[in-house]
Amino acid sequence: MIKILAISGSLRANSSNTAILRAAIGLAPDNIDISIYERLGDLPHFNPELDTESVPASVKDWRTRLKESNGVLICTPEYAHGVPGVLKNALDWIVSSGEFMDKPTAVISASPSPDGGDKANASLVQTLTVMTANIVEGATLLIPAISAKVNNKGEVTDSATVQAVSSLVNALAGAINCANN
Ligand SMILES: Cc1cc2nc3c(=O)[nH]c(=O)nc-3n(C[C@H](O)[C@H](O)[C@H](O)COP(=O)(O)O)c2cc1C
């Protein structure tokens, strides 16, 4: 079984980015287990002085879940032309511990705007690249006009988006299989 940790850059209960991750769970083949990391908001603000042998329990949990995953799938909104602080904060906790090293990783951004959160997406790829994550070819995706593609039950209703997320999950799984063989 391939284990993929899914991370939403939005803490909103009705987040369209989290809805995309739920859709990915439904689209994944039987041998792929995608689970959403629910505790991003529990992490303390990153402070290098707290990054010692006895890090807070929430940081330990975050690092362990990343370490145990074969791949990572991130879906994030763009805030003020950048990566949401909660997500950047979570990544800052991983710089010294290195759980992203060579980790096959997919990056989606979804936004109501026509550019699909392209600036946050590019910035996130840059941050993950400096952390030596393996940004999988064919596994980055911009989803524009997201408000029209998710209904009020949180279901993705746009068939092109469903197709794009499905092929992204397959590209990520393919890279994980390559890395493990
Ligand atoms: C503080 C704030 C800043 C935002 N800045 C941007 C932005 O720079 N670019 C953009 O495309 N959307 C921006 N948005 C709109 C978000 O993309 C939109 O609210 C999106 O639906 C949030 O994702 P979610 O539904 O997963 O929470 C911003 C929203 C907020 C609340």
Side-chain angles (χ1 to χ4, degrees), residues 58-131:
S58 56
V59 175
K60 216 174 267 181
D61 180 72
W62 166 229
R63 288 176 175 174
T64 303
R65 290 292 302 282
L66 277 173
K67 196 173 185 175
E68 289 172 352
S69 70
N70 304 110
V72 173
L73 168 58
I74 300 177
C75 189
T76 186
E78 175 175 283
Y79 285 166
H81 287 189
V83 176
V86 70
L87 177 55
K88 181 61 167 62
N89 182 57
L91 296 180
D92 288 344
W93 277 110
I94 306 303
V95 172
S96 67
S97 55
E99 283 79 9
F100 267 103
M101 209 178 285
D102 297 326
K103 186 76 76 183
T105 301
V107 176
I108 307 175
S109 54
S111 161
S113 79
D115 58 28
D118 59 346
K119 291 166 283 301
N121 196 302
S123 170
L124 185 52
V125 167
Q126 219 171 356
T127 298
L128 290 163
T129 300
V130 89
M131 293 165 76

Side-chain angles (χ1 to χ4, degrees), residues 143-161:
I143 306 178
I146 187 65
S147 325
K149 295 171 178 171
V150 175
N151 67 18
N152 59 12
K153 290 188 215 147
E155 297 158 340
V156 181
T157 51
D158 177 62
S159 58
T161 300

